[in-house]
Amino acid sequence: MPTSKRVAIIDIGSNSIRLVVYKDSSRSPLTLFNEKVMCGLGRGLAGSGRLNPEGRRSALTNLARFRVLADHMNVCETIIVATSAVRDAADGPSFVAEMERISGLKVRVLPGGEEARLSALGLLSAIPDADGFVGDLGGGSLELVDVRSGQVGELTSLPLGALRILDQSGGSSRKAGNLIKKELQTLPWLDRLQGRDFYAVGGAWRALARMLMDHRHYPLHIIHHYAVPADEAAAFFAKIHRMDKDELKKQPSISRRRMDALPYAALVFEQLAAVARPRRIVFSAAGLREGVLFDQLGPSVKRQDPLMAGCAVLAGAGRFELGFEELLSFLRPMLGINARLARLAEAACRLSDVAWMEHPDYRAAQAYRRVLQLPVNGIDHVERAFLAYAVALRYGASRDELPDGTAQLLLSAEDMRLAGAVGIGLRLGYLLSGGAPGELGNCRLEVLGGILTLTLPTDGSVVLGDAVYRRLESLGKTLDLPTRILPEVGISAK
């Protein structure tokens, strides 16, 4: 029986505790299990200096459950980390001792700076080209970290968690605003955020992102890498922190256990945006837990592209032996040297037979949905739509046959054109090769003198047929180019 590589992280936060079990600790770890319990350990901590008694009991009960679940799931390593509430409470050490007795494991209580560093690493593991500030908002603290060029820069941990602000302000928005301003004034380097992105990490901000998606009628309900102009988000959040409980209850996407904290999470960003003037807020599903995993990887694994690593895992074994490298070599001359396009084309090649086990009548639709909603990092929402559209066309879909209008809403006309070219080019590549390796390398697809040219070998190893002409012509229409096949076989350029 193979040895398990599963890794579990139990995250003991100020508002919630969570168990996440990952398939492994690779560059693109798949989540197998995720359970959250809203214990509220940090509720009342600002006044009492101690953990919430009810929250403490709930956390210990659920920790015991999490430990048993991890054993049942054949987890090979379980990591327990605790953050703001546990490190700040007078009874934090006794609580840690009790957790260690129940779990039989060491509990790692993270100092504020280390929590900030790991949160930033988690963000960088998912968005390697991030340029701006990571803001990880929990119940007890706010970690702020400058990130650029894949590196963690200046960082701090502030006592601005949503539950802490609620307790200290007594529910007064005015007092809460003054508390936030006072803490932010201690950070003269916040002006470095101007014109850059703010990466929002944490459950409260993810809940606000869902509200913002509903408000904007956004077509793709995936939180990770959802980006909104900062001024637009701040204006919407200003309305949220002025809502009373009755108004918040009417919001369809809000958990009742998050309701008390949300107005203060909204107020924190509103104040940050006023001081630092970021360009966009970018919501991230990756943070502390992902940072703990990423921190353990070797340098060469860390440098891997998370999108390609994810595609390699999720594509699985296809029905053909034709590799993505051969498909990419076939498409590359047609596409030119644009780095972004080449990267998306590679991902499309890796995913090009992701739906082969579906019923033929539904392959295109299933491929579109699956790729659009893939649990991978390293791409934004526009790039998701690009890949989904390309792979759907690879399976024969037309622009008018997609399951929904997400691709059309997110993609520019140019991106639609290029994604269409990748998808139809893949369809042509599979047709020419029959999915067999070695044959496609003898063909060349490129633009010569303004004509989309397919050059075939002269040894008869690739035989023309009506379908080849049709697909080449379809590709030419997508690129708005005439087509020809070389050597000439009785056809003229179209």
Side-chain angles (χ1 to χ4, degrees):
M1 188 173 180
T3 303
S4 169
K5 296 181 180 179
R6 293 178 177 180
V7 178
I9 295 182
I10 300 175
D11 180 0
I12 311 294
S14 300
N15 200 20
S16 66
I17 73 167
R18 187 187 294 263
L19 166 67
V20 183
V21 178
Y22 299 91
K23 184 175 180 289
D24 53 33
S25 57
S26 65
R27 185 61 182 87
S28 183
L30 287 177
T31 299
L32 301 180
F33 184 85
N34 190 329
E35 181 176 334
K36 175 185 68 179
V37 181
M38 303 295 287
C39 296
L41 272 173
R43 193 175 294 275
L45 174 64
S48 69
R50 301 180 68 83
L51 299 171
N52 181 278
E54 183 181 343
R56 179 171 172 150
R57 285 191 293 272
S58 175
L60 291 173
T61 298
N62 284 284
L63 175 62
R65 166 181 161 74
F66 290 171
R67 185 69 176 95
V68 171
L69 277 175
D71 287 342
H72 289 338
M73 297 180 72
N74 196 26
V75 168
C76 72
E77 181 185 13
T78 300
I79 302 167
I80 305 179
V81 294
T83 54
S84 176
V86 177
R87 70 172 173 258
D88 292 343
D91 57 341
S94 67
F95 180 59
V96 168
E98 206 164 352
M99 285 195 290
E100 292 182 341
R101 179 183 61 79
I102 288 172
S103 68
L105 298 168
K106 181 71 176 174
V107 175
R108 184 179 172 190
V109 181
L110 300 176
E114 179 65 356
E115 183 180 355
R117 185 185 74 86
L118 290 172
S119 294
L121 282 182
L123 183 280
L124 288 171
S125 76
I127 310 177
D129 60 350
D131 180 10
F133 270 53
V134 180
D136 186 353
L137 180 68
S141 63
L142 169 68
E143 281 66 49
L144 290 173
V145 190
D146 189 344
V147 293
R148 67 178 79 204
S149 303
Q151 300 298 314
V152 174
E154 196 151 6
L155 54 80
T156 190
S157 179
L158 300 175
L160 288 178
L163 286 182
R164 190 189 295 263
I165 296 170
L166 170 61
D167 291 342
Q168 291 182 327
S169 67
S172 164
S173 291
R174 182 181 60 80
K175 288 183 180 178
N178 289 335
L179 285 169
I180 297 166
K181 285 179 183 177
K182 182 179 177 182
E183 290 295 338
L184 293 181
Q185 285 170 357
T186 66
L187 302 176
W189 44 271
L190 268 185
D191 59 2
R192 297 181 202 161
L193 181 54
Q194 184 173 354
R196 298 163 72 203
D197 287 338
F198 179 81
Y199 299 91
V201 174
W205 273 333
R206 288 195 296 271
L208 289 170
R210 292 187 188 95
M211 295 179 68
L212 191 51
M213 283 178 166
D214 290 342
H215 174 72
R216 300 174 78 219
H217 304 290
Y218 191 72
L220 183 59
H221 276 246
I222 292 176
I223 299 297
H224 185 66
H225 223 307
Y226 175 49
V228 182
D231 54 355
E232 184 178 339
F236 177 74
F237 290 172
K239 298 176 183 176
I240 299 299
H241 82 70
R242 293 185 178 93
M243 288 184 180
D244 58 30
K245 275 193 175 182
D246 289 336
E247 289 178 287
L248 285 172
K249 285 178 183 177
K250 296 175 184 177
Q251 304 299 316
S253 55
I254 294 204
S255 157
R256 288 183 177 274
R257 302 300 295 269
R258 288 268 184 215
M259 200 171 295
D260 289 344
L262 283 186
Y264 301 96
L267 186 56
V268 168
F269 179 74
E270 187 187 351
Q271 298 280 6
L272 265 169
V275 172
R277 301 188 298 282
R279 180 174 68 104
R280 300 184 303 171
I281 181 171
V282 181
F283 296 93
S284 173
L288 175 65
R289 292 179 294 276
E290 291 72 23
V292 170
L293 286 183
F294 189 71
D295 199 34
Q296 298 183 133
L297 299 177
S300 63
V301 180
K302 286 180 179 177
R303 288 193 293 269
Q304 292 175 5
D305 186 326
L307 173 59
M308 302 313 160
C311 288
V313 171
L314 293 165
R319 57 184 156 164
F320 300 120
E321 295 179 24
L322 178 63
F324 79 88
E325 299 95 341
E326 198 168 342
L327 285 164
L328 185 60
S329 294
F330 176 67
L331 295 179
R332 189 176 282 126
M334 172 187 69
L335 298 174
I337 59 172
N338 181 294
R340 173 179 177 266
L341 180 56
R343 181 171 180 264
L344 291 174
E346 178 178 342
C349 291
R350 289 176 179 269
L351 296 170
S352 61
D353 211 20
V354 72
W356 75 272
M357 294 185 70
E358 305 295 341
H359 189 285
D361 292 349
Y362 295 95
R363 274 184 194 148
Q366 296 285 36
Y368 173 83
R369 291 191 182 95
R370 186 175 179 192
V371 173
L372 189 64
Q373 299 164 5
L374 279 177
V376 296
N377 292 319
I379 48 172
D380 60 25
H381 286 194
V382 170
E383 291 164 338
R384 281 180 178 276
F386 185 107
L387 290 177
Y389 184 58
V391 177
L393 265 63
R394 172 265 180 274
Y395 280 111
S398 72
R399 179 171 178 163
D400 299 327
E401 292 174 350
L402 298 177
D404 60 42
T406 302
Q408 291 93 328
L409 288 169
L410 294 181
L411 295 176
S412 67
E414 178 64 5
D415 273 346
M416 289 284 287
R417 186 180 76 89
L418 293 173
V422 170
I424 298 170
L426 284 168
R427 192 162 172 78
L428 176 61
Y430 275 105
L431 182 68
L432 288 168
S433 65
E439 299 303 327
L440 203 53
N442 298 321
C443 306
R444 186 168 179 83
L445 184 66
E446 59 191 326
V447 179
L448 296 174
I451 300 173
L452 180 62
T453 303
L454 174 63
T455 303
L456 301 178
T458 57
D459 60 6
S461 58
V462 177
V463 180
L464 286 172
D466 290 347
V468 175
Y469 296 130
R470 288 197 304 270
R471 288 189 190 174
L472 182 62
E473 186 174 358
S474 176
L475 184 54
K477 286 180 178 177
T478 298
L479 292 172
D480 195 24
L481 292 172
T483 64
R484 68 180 171 190
I485 298 176
L486 295 177
E488 298 285 358
V489 287
I491 61 169
S492 58
K494 294 182 174 71

